[in-house]
Amino acid sequence: MSFLINPYRYAEAGFSPTDISGLWSWFDASTITSDGSTMSGSDVTMWKNKEGTTARNMNQTSSTQIPLITAGQNGLDCIDPSPTALMTTSSGLTLAQPFTIICAGQMPANNSRYAVYTDAQAGGGRMYIGKTPTDNRWLNLGLQFTETGIVGTWQTLTCTLNSGTGEMFFGTTSKVSGTQQAQDWQFARFFDSVSTGEGWDGEMGEIIIYSKIVSGTELTDLQNYLIDKWGTP
C-alpha cells in the first residue's frame, strides 16, 4: 500500500532501508541517542551501523569533536562535522562493485568534498562526494554535475557504480552517468579530507550504502524515504 506525500510523488508506507537486500552500512543521526551509538557529552564518538556489522561502525579518530544537533533538521537530530573531523571504521573494509551510496545532508559553503571518502584497492584512484570551491557538485571519479543556489540547503544525493559505469542523482532526478574507474573500494573514512580544510563542513543526517545497484522502484522508495524524512527537495 502506498500513501500520497505530495501530488508528484508516492512513498511506500512504513519503508525501511532494510527492506532492500544488500544493505552494507546504515548510519542514521536521528536515532543516535537510542540505537547504541556512543557519546561524550553532546559529541558523537561512535556512530553505530544499523545494518549490524560492528566493524563498520564509525569511530571518532580525530581530536575534532562531532556534535549532535538536537532537532537540527526537519525536527530530527543530526550531526555537525567540521573540515577537520574524521570518523573511520575499525578496519579498511573492502566493498567490490557494484554499490550504491545515498546521503541526506546540508550543502556546505566552503571547499567541502568528503562526506564519504574512499581509496581504491588497486590503481590509485579516489572517490569522493561533496563540492568544489565554485560549484555545488557531487563527484565520482570524474563524473560531476552542477547545482547552483543550494548552499546551506539540505539535499538527498545518490551515487551508483558498477563495473566502471556510474550514475548520480539529485533527489530522484538522474543528473549524470558514464564510464568510471573499475575498482574495489575501502569504505573506511567519513568527513575526512586529503587536503587541509576540505573535510565535510555541513550537517549530516543519514548515510546508507548497499553492495549492489539499487534501481527501479527500490531506488525511488529509498530516495523518497530520505526526502520525506529529512525534508529535502
Side-chain angles (χ1 to χ4, degrees):
M1 178 181 295
S2 297
F3 60 91
L4 187 64
I5 296 298
N6 65 38
Y8 307 103
R9 185 179 74 244
Y10 284 88
E12 190 68 21
F15 174 84
S16 168
T18 58
D19 294 340
I20 299 175
S21 65
L23 182 62
W24 171 264
S25 296
W26 176 19
F27 305 100
D28 180 0
S30 72
T31 61
I32 279 177
T33 59
S34 60
D35 65 11
S37 298
T38 59
M39 299 184 65
S40 176
S42 61
D43 299 314
V44 180
T45 56
M46 186 274 284
W47 196 2
K48 185 177 178 63
N49 169 27
K50 293 174 69 172
E51 175 272 337
T53 302
T54 57
R56 299 176 197 156
N57 293 341
M58 283 193 210
N59 297 281
Q60 179 191 339
T61 49
S62 72
S63 59
T64 303
Q65 302 300 305
I66 301 176
L68 182 70
I69 308 300
T70 302
Q73 172 63 18
N74 209 32
L76 301 174
D77 295 351
C78 60
I79 64 170
D80 189 15
S82 70
T84 56
L86 170 62
M87 299 191 85
T88 66
T89 58
S90 61
S91 60
L93 295 167
T94 301
L95 176 60
Q97 297 181 62
F99 60 74
T100 299
I101 307 173
I102 185 168
C103 310
Q106 182 188 40
M107 299 297 99
N110 68 1
N111 186 20
S112 297
R113 300 184 181 188
Y114 298 92
V116 180
Y117 165 67
T118 73
D119 273 321
Q121 289 292 90
R126 296 189 182 99
M127 186 186 77
Y128 56 89
I129 48 181
K131 70 181 290 293
T132 71
T134 56
D135 298 304
N136 290 274
R137 298 172 174 167
W138 279 49
L139 306 150
N140 178 355
L141 289 175
L143 272 187
Q144 61 186 32
F145 66 91
T146 301
E147 290 287 331
T148 59
I150 61 170
V151 168
T153 67
W154 274 67
Q155 303 291 336
T156 295
L157 302 105
T158 309
C159 298
T160 66
L161 189 62
N162 183 25
S163 301
T165 300
E167 186 170 11
M168 309 184 75
F169 298 79
F170 204 71
T172 59
T173 302
S174 176
K175 289 290 186 176
V176 63
S177 61
T179 301
Q180 298 293 275
Q181 187 174 358
Q183 299 284 357
D184 295 343
W185 297 95
Q186 287 191 336
F187 286 91
R189 300 172 74 88
F190 298 84
F191 318 123
D192 187 25
S193 67
V194 293
S195 300
T196 302
E198 291 185 353
W200 191 252
D201 190 18
E203 295 172 355
M204 182 63 64
E206 204 155 343
I207 300 173
I208 308 170
I209 303 173
Y210 290 87
S211 58
K212 73 173 190 178
I213 298 297
V214 180
S215 61
T217 57
E218 286 189 331
L219 180 59
T220 302
D221 284 344
L222 180 63
Q223 291 167 332
N224 286 337
Y225 157 79
L226 290 180
I227 290 168
D228 296 332
K229 178 176 179 176
W230 294 100
T232 66

